[in-house]
Amino acid sequence: MANIAPNSVSTRRERVAWYLYDFGNSAYASVVLLAVYSAYFQKQVVGGAEGSRIWGGTISIAMIIVAIAAPIMGAIADYSGAKKRFLFFFTALSVLFTAMLFFTQKGTVTLAIACFLLAEIGYRAAQIFYDALLPEIAPPGEMGRIAGTGWAIGSAGGIAILLLILPPILMTKSSLIVVRGSLVATAIFFAVAAAPIFLRLTERAKPQKLPPGENYFSVAFKQLGETIKAARGFNEFLKFMLAYLVYNEGVIIALDFAAILGAVLFGLEQTGLIIFFILVQATNVLGALLFGNLQDRFGGKPSLSISIMLMVACIAALYFAQNQTHFFIIGGFVGIAMAGVQSVSRAMVATFSPPGKSAEFFGFFALTGRTSSFIGPAVFGYLAAELTLWYQAQGQDIVLAEQSGHRLAILSIAGFLIIGWALMLFVNEKKALAMVTHMAVTEADKPKQG
């Protein structure tokens, strides 16, 4: 690992700069992945259920590339003390190709795929180095508070960009040139919000020389092995990671296809989709606060069960929903449930991590999330397209067949959530906490024995 200067304390300006990056980063997620580009790509650029297949496949390819490259990039950044340089490169990549999405139009499928793929790779890879800067600016006792503040400010950024692009889209009745222009506005928003982290935050990690006979590739794989080794022996944590790998797929599908479902099943235009995601972002904040309190009172596993089951109920309701009002009501509850699933999962990793091993365990958690997240979008996109073709073969017209195919594919989200929840039932949270407590006591007693 890179050498971080001891007792280095971040300034308020540095922490604000770190928060602001999340503010801009979330704008990309809100506009490109959620409210605007996903539906525009599916309906305008490609058209029909094939757009859902290609959308899911493109996201999967981006996730696979980042998952494969992440250990190597992480090792290079660690040993060269270059996290900020990597962060800048991938942020610039995402910003540039988000702006390039402006040039996508009906039929420009190859251009649309290429620009989105590069923007998505930049967005996902940049997150790795952004998260890696957290231990440099936050002492252990404040890491949760600073991370939580960053998450809340990030959610605010997602709402801010949607409120910014809503009026022109509303006034022009979702004019395609204005919709495409919102992607340029998002790129600028992301760049401006990200700038302070490069100007104000000092990277504490110092460059290190590679060990004799080693190169960045060999070091990367050794670090990956050490991360896996650190988790070995902690059976409850590994069981939890297996469950997370499965139920997280349901969350990823819901995020990546919500706008497409709103457009296909309920005829929402860009204005309606933007308002919908403002609602989801707002209830997301409420859900994080709610489930944070539930976890403190009842524990992680019961709270996670409640949030997963609430999301399953929302998916079931979505399957039977018939109009836009139903979709908006369900979206509000999905925001609450999704925040619970995500925030409680991260908190459980923290409570399951033994003393001195939190970085390794969160690294394993991040690796699991990145490597698993390419499965769900590809499965949903494939099902939606194939089921649409099947319904057409049964005599339905193309519009109804597309709706029927996507509606049935929704059940795959519930499938991932339920199977992941069932696996999570085998996790013994009390046993895991007892082991961590025992290790903490053992570590505290070691100096006395010397």
Side-chain angles (χ1 to χ4, degrees):
M1 298 296 292
N3 180 33
I4 298 177
N7 301 320
S8 58
V9 178
S10 62
T11 65
R12 183 175 180 274
R13 280 164 56 94
E14 288 179 311
R15 292 192 294 273
V16 169
W18 191 81
Y19 297 149
L20 284 174
Y21 186 90
D22 208 345
F23 189 81
N25 164 284
S26 296
Y28 170 91
S30 291
V31 175
V32 177
L33 292 177
L34 300 180
V36 177
Y37 187 69
S38 56
Y40 173 76
F41 177 89
Q42 196 266 352
K43 293 194 74 67
Q44 299 295 333
V45 177
V46 181
E50 189 63 22
S52 295
R53 188 205 301 269
I54 297 174
W55 177 253
T58 305
I59 291 174
S60 296
I61 291 170
M63 297 300 290
I64 291 170
I65 291 172
V66 173
I68 292 172
I72 298 171
M73 295 188 300
I76 296 173
D78 275 342
Y79 272 85
S80 60
K83 287 189 280 289
K84 276 183 63 177
R85 276 178 278 171
F86 274 86
L87 180 63
F88 179 82
F89 173 80
F90 285 110
T91 301
L93 183 71
S94 186
V95 167
L96 172 62
F97 284 97
T98 297
M100 289 290 291
L101 294 175
F102 173 82
F103 298 102
T104 61
Q105 301 180 57
K106 185 175 181 63
T108 60
V109 178
T110 302
L111 176 67
I113 292 173
C115 289
F116 171 65
L117 183 64
L118 290 168
E120 182 72 357
I121 289 172
Y123 166 71
R124 299 289 180 183
Q127 283 184 317
I128 298 168
F129 303 101
Y130 170 71
D131 290 340
L133 289 170
L134 177 59
E136 296 196 23
I137 66 167
E142 296 183 35
M143 196 171 295
R145 179 181 62 82
I146 291 176
T149 302
W151 179 88
I153 291 175
S155 295
I159 295 174
I161 187 64
L162 294 177
L163 290 174
L164 183 67
I165 66 174
L166 177 60
I169 290 177
L170 188 62
M171 288 187 291
T172 60
K173 298 181 180 179
S174 300
S175 164
L176 291 183
I177 190 71
V178 176
V179 169
R180 288 159 50 205
S182 71
L183 298 166
V184 178
T186 301
I188 296 171
F189 187 100
F190 189 179
V192 171
I197 201 170
F198 304 111
L199 299 174
R200 297 180 179 177
L201 192 149
T202 300
E203 187 170 348
R204 269 73 171 171
K206 306 300 180 183
Q208 292 188 92
K209 289 184 178 180
L210 286 167
E214 297 282 5
N215 56 53
Y216 288 124
F217 288 91
S218 62
V219 168
F221 286 109
K222 282 188 176 180
Q223 283 192 356
L224 180 60
E226 289 173 3
T227 298
I228 295 172
K229 185 178 179 181
R232 192 182 302 159
F234 295 87
N235 292 333
E236 303 310 314
F237 175 77
L238 291 177
K239 286 190 287 185
F240 174 63
M241 283 296 92
L242 176 61
Y244 171 77
L245 186 149
V246 179
Y247 70 69
N248 186 53
E249 294 294 349
V251 175
I252 294 297
I253 297 172
L255 282 170
D256 290 339
F257 285 90
I260 291 174
L261 289 172
V264 171
L265 296 181
F266 306 104
L268 283 175
E269 300 291 340
Q270 290 295 169
T271 300
L273 290 172
I274 291 170
I275 295 172
F276 173 79
F277 282 107
I278 291 173
L279 170 66
V280 172
Q281 291 274 24
T283 58
N284 201 257
V285 175
L286 176 63
L289 296 173
L290 171 64
F291 280 97
N293 289 326
L294 285 176
Q295 183 172 8
D296 288 343
R297 180 171 296 186
F298 301 110
K301 186 175 173 180
S303 301
L304 187 55
S305 291
I306 293 171
S307 61
I308 292 175
M309 286 299 105
L310 176 58
M311 196 160 175
V312 170
C314 290
I315 298 305
L318 182 59
Y319 178 80
F320 292 104
Q322 296 299 317
N323 55 54
Q324 293 181 4
T325 301
H326 294 161
F327 185 61
F328 272 79
I329 293 172
I330 293 166
F333 283 101
V334 166
I336 294 172
M338 195 175 291
V341 173
Q342 293 175 317
S343 61
V344 174
S345 295
R346 290 188 179 94
M348 285 183 71
V349 174
T351 57
F352 280 21
S353 301
K357 296 290 185 181
S358 60
E360 289 92 335
F361 274 56
F362 269 103
F364 194 86
F365 176 67
L367 180 66
T368 302
R370 286 196 298 271
T371 54
S372 71
S373 299
F374 66 85
I375 300 170
V379 168
F380 185 92
Y382 175 83
L383 286 175
E386 290 299 314
L387 287 169
T388 296
L389 293 174
W390 184 83
Y391 278 112
Q392 281 186 265
Q394 305 309 304
Q396 290 189 2
D397 68 74
I398 187 168
V399 174
L400 182 58
E402 185 181 358
Q403 291 176 339
S404 300
H406 281 75
R407 191 177 294 276
L408 195 55
I410 287 172
L411 298 179
S412 67
I413 304 176
F416 281 115
L417 290 168
I418 292 171
I419 294 171
W421 170 76
L423 291 170
M424 196 261 297
L425 295 179
F426 292 96
V427 177
N428 189 325
E429 186 178 13
K430 291 182 179 179
K431 183 178 178 181
L433 293 175
M435 185 175 184
V436 170
T437 302
H438 173 73
M439 292 187 67
V441 172
T442 302
E443 287 293 319
D445 287 343
K446 279 183 178 180
K448 298 178 183 179
Q449 295 172 358

